Amino acid sequence: MRQLLRRNLENWGHDVIVCVDGLDAWNSLRSQKVKFVIADWIMPEIDGIELCRKIRSLKDTGYLYIILLTGKDKKEDAVRGLDAGADDYITKPFEWE
């Protein structure tokens, strides 16, 4: 899924940084300029919810748009993700269009 998402985003003209887990994503965010994040809810090391919270705790960066991607499809899951700081919440499977 990660590689398919990367390929589609690159085909749409985006530069993509692929991370293997939440800790890798957090370290990448602190060392590289990033415009937006697509994070899976369930990741090793740091999950998507915690990654959202960590991103929102940063004070010296501009606004970073976060999309939380997950198989969790209950209303309370969406609320939890948005409350953690995600700007959008997309459930899997999803339509590329």
Side-chain angles (χ1 to χ4, degrees):
M1 178 59 93
R2 180 176 38 217
Q3 294 306 324
L4 182 60
L5 184 57
R6 177 196 54 80
R7 192 172 332 127
N8 277 294
L9 290 169
E10 287 176 344
N11 287 342
W12 294 338
H14 297 284
D15 294 323
V16 178
I17 300 167
V18 176
C19 299
V20 297
D21 59 39
L23 182 58
D24 185 26
W26 175 242
N27 290 332
S28 292
L29 288 168
R30 293 186 303 152
S31 65
Q32 300 181 55
K33 186 169 175 73
V34 176
K35 294 181 181 178
F36 72 93
V37 171
I38 300 174
D40 204 325
W41 184 310
I42 300 172
M43 296 184 290
E45 303 296 332
I46 298 173
D47 68 18
I49 294 293
E50 183 62 22
L51 183 60
C52 286
R53 290 185 182 125
K54 286 175 146 317
I55 291 168
R56 294 299 178 232
S57 74
L58 295 173
K59 302 295 181 206
D60 58 346
T61 61
Y63 193 80
L64 183 60
Y65 193 86
I66 305 169
I67 299 172
L68 194 57
L69 180 63
T70 183
K72 296 178 179 278
D73 61 357
K74 295 181 179 160
K75 183 178 181 178
E76 55 267 19
D77 294 325
V79 169
R80 185 171 168 218
L82 297 172
D83 282 348
D87 294 290
D88 207 344
Y89 183 93
I90 300 174
T91 56
K92 298 184 275 186
F94 56 90
E95 297 293 327
W96 288 105
E97 296 79 29

